[in-house]
């Protein structure tokens, strides 16, 4: 959302990432997992080759190894997936008081209906899946690098 308090131009954001990469590399870090919301994650991913060549870093996102589309939580926007994650991590932040069951005011919300299909249990399932696939993928990558 251009003009809002949190938006940064993509080039500036990527320069900021490059600065972080340089410092992490200098500290001996070799794997970086970065994940944000939509455009920031894509901007991060675009630096994959540069991170490897210039900084010796392998970069991943939370969904790099995730194949189950139902559980790849960043493909919805305040829908059932993201809402379920918040319900699992910070339930006090979820308030359905402004969401109408008939979907007439679901502006900016993508994915499955947040009220009807969100739950703490589903949020935990997503988080467990993401961590499981990410850890397995990183372990496999490390194993390949040793060979």
């Amino acid at each position: 959302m251009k003009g809002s308090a949190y938006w940064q131009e993509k080039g500036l954001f990527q320069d900021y990432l490059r600065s972080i990469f340089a410092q992490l590399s200098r500290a001996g870090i070799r794997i970086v997992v970065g994940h944000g919301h939509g455009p920031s994650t894509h901007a991060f991913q675009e630096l994959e080759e540069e991170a490897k060549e210039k900084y010796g870093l392998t970069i991943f996102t939370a969904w790099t190894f995730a194949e189950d589309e139902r559980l790849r939580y960043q493909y919805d926007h305040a829908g059932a997936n993201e809402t379920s994650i918040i319900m699992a991590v910070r339930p006090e932040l979820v308030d359905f008081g402004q969401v109408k069951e008939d979907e007439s005011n679901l502006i900016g919300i993508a994915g499955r209906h947040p009220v009807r299909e969100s739950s703490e249990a589903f949020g935990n399932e997503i988080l467990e899946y993401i961590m499981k696939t990410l850890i397995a993928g990183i372990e496999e990558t490390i194993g390949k690098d040793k060979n």
Side-chain angles (χ1 to χ4, degrees):
M1 294 174 54
K2 294 180 181 182
S4 69
Y6 66 89
W7 183 83
Q8 266 185 27
E9 185 271 323
K10 179 179 166 182
L12 177 63
F13 178 64
Q14 287 182 321
D15 286 345
Y16 183 59
L17 289 172
R18 289 179 181 100
S19 177
I20 293 169
F21 290 165
Q23 296 303 314
L24 292 173
S25 178
R26 186 179 63 79
I29 304 295
R30 294 292 165 244
I31 294 176
V32 177
V33 178
H35 204 88
H37 190 72
S40 60
T41 301
H42 297 299
F44 175 84
Q45 287 177 301
E46 288 175 11
L47 297 177
E48 182 177 7
E49 188 174 311
E50 181 179 342
K52 187 69 163 176
E53 292 175 4
K54 189 171 182 180
Y55 306 105
L57 298 172
T58 302
I59 66 172
F60 302 112
T61 70
W63 69 46
T64 296
F65 303 102
E67 295 178 2
D68 185 331
E69 289 297 320
R70 185 179 73 87
L71 300 174
R72 287 177 64 153
Y73 69 91
Q74 282 292 335
Y75 283 142
D76 87 355
H77 186 262
N81 288 39
E82 287 185 344
T83 302
S84 294
I85 291 168
I86 298 302
M87 291 172 87
V89 178
R90 296 280 308 274
E92 72 278 8
L93 299 178
V94 178
D95 177 7
F96 292 127
Q98 300 298 313
V99 181
K100 294 182 181 177
E101 186 67 24
D102 69 2
E103 301 183 22
S104 63
N105 72 337
L106 296 186
I107 298 168
I109 296 176
R112 295 185 329 279
H113 197 285
V115 176
R116 292 192 299 257
E117 300 188 46
S118 298
S119 71
E120 179 181 342
F122 184 51
N124 282 319
E125 181 184 359
I126 293 167
L127 293 171
E128 289 173 25
Y129 172 77
I130 293 298
M131 291 305 299
K132 178 182 165 188
T133 59
L134 185 58
I135 290 166
I138 290 172
E139 287 175 343
E140 182 179 331
T141 300
I142 291 170
K144 287 179 184 176
D145 288 347
K146 288 181 179 181
N147 295 328

